[in-house]
């Protein structure tokens, strides 16, 4: 399970997510410099490309991004989509990309969602594993920039491309369901409510926040979609960048999972392994792990951007505290 968010206006663009799993990851902030060659299974080598930075793991000197952004702010996240995601065999005259290659290709080559749409017409997310011991993750994807946000879902009936005006993505069911389900919550408001049931009755408001009664609070994908959409599109954002970053983390807090909240059949616990926010205008990623609520940040330098290296910076999983 996971939740991804995109928030933008004329002065800022934030992109972020919760990564929810039932096992820990030794994730790092990874920087793939512009001059570092990328190898694709069917496309050969991409020797020069945009710089990509984000969160993931490195295996055999190859980056596997869970979420990432390029130097121009084009953003990507893969979220769990089990039993629905489907990968076809390699097809002739198609753009055949393995799931883990999607962020490398699209963020490496393009600056905006608008630019990638032509390639999406011939995209085949192919059943091409990286290696025998690394199976493909069953995912769907959010791709966004400061102007657009889309969702890619490849299922047995083909590739579906959705305009995501809500700027939120969770997990199953498919995106069309989440759009319909939102209609059940059109009445929710962050304002004081009025008596609409019987005008002549002497009904009083007995507490704050009653306009959001029935807003889901459980950790199911459908409920997280509703709650994240309501919060992201109703809370305050200002010209204060630090305030806005905290607001984005507060939204993610409201749809995060605690250890023990979700127990799977094998007795494992699914929880929010990490939460991150990208400030794409300032080329900075903020991240915190389940174990360490201190927010760490990494700013993309010009040297890193133009590097031929694959750089890695470990994320803290040790609790830390500030003395006052």
């Amino acid at each position: 399970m996971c939740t991804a968010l995109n928030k933008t206006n004329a002065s800022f663009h934030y992109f972020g997510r919760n990564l929810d799993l039932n096992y820990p990851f030794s994730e790092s902030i990874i920087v793939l410099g512009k001059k570092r060659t990328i190898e694709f299974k069917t496309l050969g080598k991409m020797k020069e490309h945009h710089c990509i930075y984000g969160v993931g793991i490195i295996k055999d000197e190859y980056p596997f991004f869970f979420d990432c952004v390029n130097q121009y702010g084009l953003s990507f996240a893969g979220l769990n989509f089990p039993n629905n995601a489907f990968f076809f065999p390699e097809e002739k005259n198609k753009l055949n990309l393995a799931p883990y290659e999607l962020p490398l290709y699209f963020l490496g080559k393009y600056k905006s969602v608008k630019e990638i749409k032509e390639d999406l017409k011939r995209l085949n997310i192919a059943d091409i594993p990286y290696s025998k011991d690394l199976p493909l993750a069953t995912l769907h994807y959010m791709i966004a920039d400061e102007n657009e946000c889309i969702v890619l879902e490849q299922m047995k009936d083909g590739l579906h491309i959705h305009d995501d005006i809500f700027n939120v993505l969770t997990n199953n069911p498919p995106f069309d369901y989440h759009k319909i389900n939102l209609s059940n919550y059109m009445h929710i408001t962050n304002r004081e409510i009025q008596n609409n049931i019987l005008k002549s009755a002497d009904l009083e408001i007995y507490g704050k926040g009653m306009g959001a009664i029935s807003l889901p609070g459980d950790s199911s994908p459908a409920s997280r979609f509703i709650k994240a959409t309501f919060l992201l599109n109703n809370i305050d954002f200002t010209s204060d960048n630090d305030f806005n970053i905290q607001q984005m983390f507060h939204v993610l807090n409201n749809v995060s999972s605690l250890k023990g909240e979700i127990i799977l059949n094998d007795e494992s616990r699914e929880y929010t392994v990490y939460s991150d926010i990208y400030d794409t205008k300032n080329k900075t990623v903020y991240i915190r792990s389940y174990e360490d609520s201190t927010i760490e940040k990494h700013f993309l330098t010009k040297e890193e951007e133009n590097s031929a290296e694959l750089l890695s910076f470990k994320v803290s999983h040790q609790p830390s505290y500030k003395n006052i």
Side-chain angles (χ1 to χ4, degrees):
M1 300 201 312
C2 298
T3 305
L5 311 173
N6 185 62
K7 184 69 178 180
T8 183
N9 73 8
S11 60
F12 62 71
H13 175 217
Y14 306 119
F15 184 86
R17 63 97 56 84
N18 285 339
L19 181 81
D20 301 340
L21 286 170
N22 60 329
Y23 52 90
F25 255 114
S26 184
E27 74 277 355
S28 299
I29 293 173
I30 300 169
V31 178
L32 178 65
K34 291 163 60 175
K35 298 176 183 177
R36 172 84 177 195
T37 298
I38 304 173
E39 293 194 28
F40 297 92
K41 291 288 189 179
T42 66
L43 302 180
K45 297 180 178 181
M46 186 186 289
K47 293 186 177 181
E48 292 197 7
H49 51 81
H50 305 319
C51 175
I52 304 170
Y53 63 102
V55 181
I57 59 172
I58 296 174
K59 183 177 175 63
D60 303 327
E61 294 299 308
Y62 195 93
F64 291 84
F65 285 107
F66 308 145
D67 47 85
C68 52
V69 171
N70 72 12
Q71 67 196 80
Y72 296 100
L74 185 60
S75 310
F76 178 97
L79 288 77
N80 201 21
F81 196 46
N83 303 318
N84 279 308
F86 190 84
F87 307 127
F88 294 98
E90 186 179 342
E91 295 183 40
K92 196 173 184 179
N93 300 321
K94 287 275 195 175
L95 173 60
N96 295 290
L97 292 171
Y100 60 87
E101 294 178 332
L102 292 175
L104 301 176
Y105 179 83
F106 287 117
L107 272 61
K109 189 174 180 180
Y110 297 113
K111 299 179 181 179
S112 68
V113 171
K114 182 179 180 180
E115 289 181 352
I116 74 173
K117 287 187 174 179
E118 195 63 33
D119 266 347
L120 291 179
K121 294 177 183 178
R122 60 189 187 96
L123 173 64
N124 174 41
I125 306 177
D127 185 9
I128 307 174
Y130 177 77
S131 63
K132 292 181 180 179
D133 63 340
L134 199 63
L136 297 178
T138 52
L139 306 173
H140 58 175
Y141 312 93
M142 176 188 274
I143 306 177
D145 59 26
E146 60 183 337
N147 298 308
E148 292 184 80
C149 182
I150 61 173
V151 169
L152 305 184
E153 294 181 334
Q154 185 171 284
M155 299 184 286
K156 286 185 178 180
D157 61 346
L159 179 66
H160 300 261
I161 305 167
H162 304 277
D163 290 321
D164 186 358
I165 62 171
F166 316 109
N167 292 292
V168 170
L169 184 62
T170 57
N171 312 102
N172 291 331
F175 190 76
D176 278 335
Y177 170 87
H178 293 297
K179 290 193 293 185
I180 294 171
N181 190 39
L182 276 170
S183 298
N184 294 319
Y185 299 90
M186 290 190 298
H187 61 283
I188 289 177
T189 178
N190 57 354
R191 298 188 177 277
E192 296 285 343
I193 57 173
Q194 305 297 317
N195 173 16
N196 294 315
I197 192 169
L198 181 61
K199 296 292 185 181
S200 60
D202 186 20
L203 302 179
E204 296 182 355
I205 297 173
Y206 56 81
K208 305 299 182 184
M210 292 175 64
I213 288 178
S214 81
L215 180 68
D218 63 272
S219 292
S220 66
S223 292
R224 284 184 284 109
F225 193 98
I226 297 297
K227 190 168 190 181
T229 299
F230 172 72
L231 292 174
L232 185 69
N233 294 287
N234 283 278
I235 64 172
D236 292 338
F237 286 88
T238 71
S239 59
D240 184 333
N241 195 59
D242 288 331
F243 174 83
N244 293 341
I245 294 295
Q246 294 298 322
Q247 286 288 76
M248 291 292 287
F249 272 110
H250 286 313
V251 176
L252 291 177
N253 284 347
N254 272 270
V255 288
S256 66
S257 298
L258 308 180
K259 282 188 177 180
E261 181 181 350
I262 303 170
I263 302 177
L264 306 183
N265 288 336
D266 63 0
E267 294 301 316
S268 62
R269 273 64 172 161
E270 183 152 307
Y271 66 101
T272 300
V273 176
Y274 72 78
S275 304
D276 64 16
I277 298 296
Y278 297 85
D279 173 3
T280 72
K281 296 280 191 180
N282 293 303
K283 298 181 180 180
T284 303
V285 55
Y286 299 81
I287 188 168
R288 66 181 177 203
S289 68
Y290 188 87
E291 297 81 7
D292 187 357
S293 58
T294 302
I295 298 175
E296 300 178 289
K297 71 175 183 177
H298 183 85
F299 169 71
L300 180 69
T301 67
K302 279 293 182 183
E303 292 77 15
E304 292 171 352
E305 191 175 310
N306 294 307
S307 174
E309 301 300 318
L310 184 61
L311 305 173
S312 177
F313 307 90
K314 278 292 181 186
V315 175
S316 170
H317 285 266
Q318 293 296 321
S320 59
Y321 304 94
K322 181 179 179 181
N323 293 320
I324 58 173

